[in-house]
Amino acid sequence: MNKIILLLFAITLASCSNDDDTAENQPLLNSYHFANMFYVQPSLASAIESNQVTLIYNNDGQIIKRLGGVREMDPATGFYGAYSAEISDDVSYANQTILIEEGRVLPFYPDPASRTKIILDGNNKMLQRINLRALPVYQTPSDTIKFTYNAAGLLSGSRKGNPSSDYEVAEYFYNANKNLDSIKTQVYISGAYFYSVKETFSGYDTAANPLKKLFLFKETFLRSLSKNNFMHYQKNQYDFDNTLVAHEERNWNIPHGANGEILFDLN
């Protein structure tokens, strides 16, 4: 009888482990291919570039450096330049906060192009993402995004800006497999509703998502939210009377390995 109980316990434990797809239980991803990540307007690498991004970790499994990427040429507009293997980002941790210094190009640009602070809760979920300006006097409510979560621990909403002036509020929706289905964002200008955006994610594979720890980077943030990996993205923008005014979409054909795992580090 004791052997049967132990066997049932082991099966239950194994089952729980298989269902646990939290970031803490994911293997470390050492690199990924730049073009396989999420970009609304993908930046293209030159023919001589590797298009590879390399991640460096500390002994606690925390990312401390990212090599390869893009440098924000104008942090005020969010404009991105082309990919370069010379670009690096440095990441540091202290008191439930993450500081990302982005876009160094040594020796030409020793100062980061931008700095981002992420504030975490006690479960290491992101509560705020703040664009730190060089001069704090220029800091505005639009530099901070605040996040909320549902009872299942999934990101359910975000808000940026000042409700009395300009702000954005977004809702996140998931399918039965804990994969991000859509994001609906409403944009308000001078306190009045101006337009909305609906982003839809589909074509999911059945492979485990190896990007869950990469919520801290902009181009991997949306991919980090799901259990599996989407291959199709669609974005529709509607004006104040719900008329479709803009549409864009993108498909990926990302290779998988012999064991079914997704290979973000390959073309």
Side-chain angles (χ1 to χ4, degrees), residues 34 42-46 49 69-71 73 79-85 87:
F34 185 82
S43 300
L44 301 177
S46 67
E49 292 281 12
V70 294
R71 177 180 167 89
M73 308 305 291
F79 172 77
Y80 285 89
Y83 168 92
S84 172
I87 291 172

Side-chain angles (χ1 to χ4, degrees), residues 21 26 205-211 226-229 260-262 264:
D21 60 343
Q26 295 298 314
D205 62 8
T206 57
N209 179 4
L211 304 177
S226 297
K227 181 177 181 179
N228 306 118
N229 311 280
E261 74 278 17
I262 190 166
F264 279 117

Side-chain angles (χ1 to χ4, degrees), residues 8-134:
L8 290 174
F9 176 77
I11 293 173
T12 301
L13 183 61
S15 176
C16 291
S17 299
N18 290 336
D19 290 338
D20 190 352
D21 60 343
T22 60
E24 290 76 10
N25 293 286
Q26 295 298 314
L28 301 183
L29 184 70
N30 294 318
S31 65
Y32 58 83
H33 191 264
F34 185 82
N36 284 341
M37 291 300 104
F38 174 82
Y39 288 95
V40 177
Q41 296 176 330
S43 300
L44 301 177
S46 67
I48 61 173
E49 292 281 12
S50 66
N51 223 333
Q52 200 83 354
V53 175
T54 301
L55 302 171
I56 298 175
Y57 298 82
N58 61 19
N59 292 333
D60 295 323
Q62 297 171 317
I63 299 169
I64 57 174
K65 185 179 285 290
R66 179 175 63 165
L67 302 173
V70 294
R71 177 180 167 89
E72 284 194 17
M73 308 305 291
D74 184 355
T77 63
F79 172 77
Y80 285 89
Y83 168 92
S84 172
E86 304 301 320
I87 291 172
S88 68
D89 302 329
D90 295 294
V91 186
S92 58
Y93 305 81
N95 301 323
Q96 296 299 118
T97 64
I98 303 173
L99 177 64
I100 311 171
E101 296 182 308
E102 303 149 312
R104 282 192 173 90
V105 186
L106 298 176
F108 307 104
Y109 299 101
D111 295 326
S114 60
R115 298 168 71 243
T116 299
K117 182 168 74 172
I118 295 174
I119 299 176
L120 306 174
D121 66 9
N123 296 314
N124 288 325
K125 291 188 178 298
M126 184 163 54
L127 291 179
Q128 296 184 39
R129 184 184 190 97
I130 306 169
N131 173 25
L132 298 177
R133 296 185 182 272

Side-chain angles (χ1 to χ4, degrees), residues 141 159 161-167 188-192:
R159 181 181 291 269
N162 187 343
S164 64
S165 56
D166 301 342
Y167 73 103
Y188 296 80
I189 305 297
S190 299

